[in-house]
Amino acid sequence: MTQTELLRAFNSEDMKGVSVMKVEDMAKVAVKGMQTDRFEIRPGQANQLKMTSRVAPGFILKTLSRSVDRMLGTQSR
């Protein structure tokens, strides 16, 4: 998650346990990736997320869907 104006729309319950990356840091990672011709640039915790989604895709989908489910008033299956 990147620290932008959109981030203010989430409440503290949605943000529990989330690490937030500064926009400047995100831009540095993106520029460095482009300079080194990286096909895929995964800043912050994106590498961990990608690995976990390969090992346990259902778990990750359910975990990441919780905040959306709370906003919509639904339960994940």
Side-chain angles (χ1 to χ4, degrees), residues 1-3 5 9 18 21 24-26 42 44 55-57 60-61 63 67 69-70 72-73 75-76:
M1 188 161 292
T2 307
Q3 191 174 25
E5 293 295 319
V18 175
M21 178 181 269
E24 294 83 11
D25 295 340
M26 173 68 177
R42 295 186 300 262
V55 174
I60 285 298
L61 180 61
T63 302
S67 62
D69 289 340
R70 277 193 302 270
L72 297 176
Q75 297 288 326
S76 35

Side-chain angles (χ1 to χ4, degrees), residues 40 49-57 60:
E40 188 172 352
L49 179 61
K50 183 168 183 161
M51 183 187 75
T52 308
S53 70
R54 288 182 177 196
V55 174
I60 285 298

Side-chain angles (χ1 to χ4, degrees), residues 3-63:
Q3 191 174 25
T4 63
E5 293 295 319
L6 180 62
L7 193 60
R8 293 181 188 179
F10 292 91
N11 64 39
S12 60
E13 180 72 19
D14 294 331
M15 299 301 296
K16 194 178 272 187
V18 175
S19 65
V20 179
M21 178 181 269
K22 293 181 181 179
V23 175
E24 294 83 11
D25 295 340
M26 173 68 177
K28 287 177 188 177
V29 171
V31 169
K32 184 177 179 182
M34 288 183 272
Q35 288 173 336
T36 57
D37 290 329
R38 300 224 25 190
F39 179 70
E40 188 172 352
I41 302 168
R42 295 186 300 262
Q45 296 176 330
N47 280 327
Q48 297 163 345
L49 179 61
K50 183 168 183 161
M51 183 187 75
T52 308
S53 70
R54 288 182 177 196
V55 174
F59 171 76
I60 285 298
L61 180 61
K62 185 176 180 179
T63 302

